[in-house]
Amino acid sequence: DQAASQATLTELQRRVDKVNASGGEILFITQRHLISMHMLTSVKLIPEYEREELMEMAMANNEAYLDRFKAELRARRFAAIVVDPLEFNLLGSDYAMGEENNAWARFVARPILCNYRADQTFAADRVVIYVPQETPTCP
C-alpha cells in the first residue's frame, strides 16, 4: 500500500528530524536502504551496529563487542532505535536457524528490550521505533 508506506516514511523522517534537533542519535539497525535510496535524509549511520554486523558478533559471541553494545543500551545512548519487531523467543537447536535465532535473541533483542520499549509500530512495513525505558524491564 503506497499511501501507508509513504505515511511510514513521513513519520520516520519526522522522528529523525526530532532526534537531530535535540542533538540525539537514532540507530537504524535495519531499514538502512531507506537512507541509501534517499527516502530518508539527515540520518547519521552508526556502522558498528548494522544488522549483519550485530548478527556476526552475536554468532561469534564476541564478548568485547557485545559488552560495549549492552553498555551503550544501558546508558541510553540512542534516542531511538529503528529495527524489525523484536521478540525474546529462544528455539531449540533442532529448529532451522535455531542457533542463529537464539544468538540474536540473547545478544541483540534482549538487551534492546531490557532498555528500550516499542514506541511506534508500523506493522505492514515490519518496522518498530524503540525508545529508552525509564526503568529497565527485561523479558
Side-chain angles (χ1 to χ4, degrees), residues 57-59 61 66 69-70 102-111:
M57 296 299 110
M59 288 297 297
N61 194 16
L66 296 168
F69 179 62
K70 287 187 281 188
N102 294 350
W104 181 263
R106 283 187 184 109
F107 301 124
V108 179
R110 188 170 191 274

Side-chain angles (χ1 to χ4, degrees), residues 63-84:
E63 289 184 32
Y65 173 95
L66 296 168
D67 287 347
R68 184 175 70 241
F69 179 62
K70 287 187 281 188
E72 290 182 350
L73 294 173
R74 281 191 304 272
R76 295 173 183 80
R77 171 183 172 185
F78 310 108
I81 297 174
V82 176
V83 66
D84 300 341

Side-chain angles (χ1 to χ4, degrees), residues 28-35 40 82 84 125-127:
F28 277 76
I29 293 176
T30 60
Q31 311 308 321
R32 288 171 173 231
H33 64 285
L34 299 174
I35 301 155
L40 294 175
V82 176
D84 300 341
D125 295 306
R126 293 197 38 79
V127 177

Side-chain angles (χ1 to χ4, degrees), residues 4-137:
S5 291
Q6 185 56 54
T8 299
L9 286 171
T10 299
E11 181 57 20
L12 285 170
Q13 186 65 61
R14 187 187 74 74
R15 295 296 285 268
V16 166
D17 294 342
K18 182 179 176 183
V19 168
N20 286 344
S22 69
E25 291 183 278
I26 186 165
L27 172 61
F28 277 76
I29 293 176
T30 60
Q31 311 308 321
R32 288 171 173 231
H33 64 285
L34 299 174
I35 301 155
S36 65
M37 297 180 73
H38 308 288
M39 299 170 99
L40 294 175
T41 61
S42 303
V43 177
K44 180 185 171 201
L45 288 176
I46 303 164
E48 63 269 23
Y49 298 134
E50 187 266 337
R51 176 178 35 203
E52 280 71 23
E53 185 72 14
L54 280 164
M55 188 65 204
E56 284 188 31
M57 296 299 110
M59 288 297 297
N61 194 16
N62 183 322
E63 289 184 32
Y65 173 95
L66 296 168
D67 287 347
R68 184 175 70 241
F69 179 62
K70 287 187 281 188
E72 290 182 350
L73 294 173
R74 281 191 304 272
R76 295 173 183 80
R77 171 183 172 185
F78 310 108
I81 297 174
V82 176
V83 66
D84 300 341
L86 296 174
E87 295 179 357
F88 182 70
N89 183 28
L90 298 178
L91 300 174
S93 58
D94 54 329
Y95 283 86
M97 307 297 281
E99 296 298 327
E100 290 83 352
N101 172 82
N102 294 350
W104 181 263
R106 283 187 184 109
F107 301 124
V108 179
R110 188 170 191 274
I112 292 172
L113 294 172
C114 286
N115 297 285
Y116 288 73
R117 63 173 176 79
D119 185 56
Q120 193 161 15
T121 301
F122 306 96
D125 295 306
R126 293 197 38 79
V127 177
V128 179
I129 300 173
Y130 291 87
V131 296
Q133 294 186 55
E134 290 298 317
T135 306
T137 306

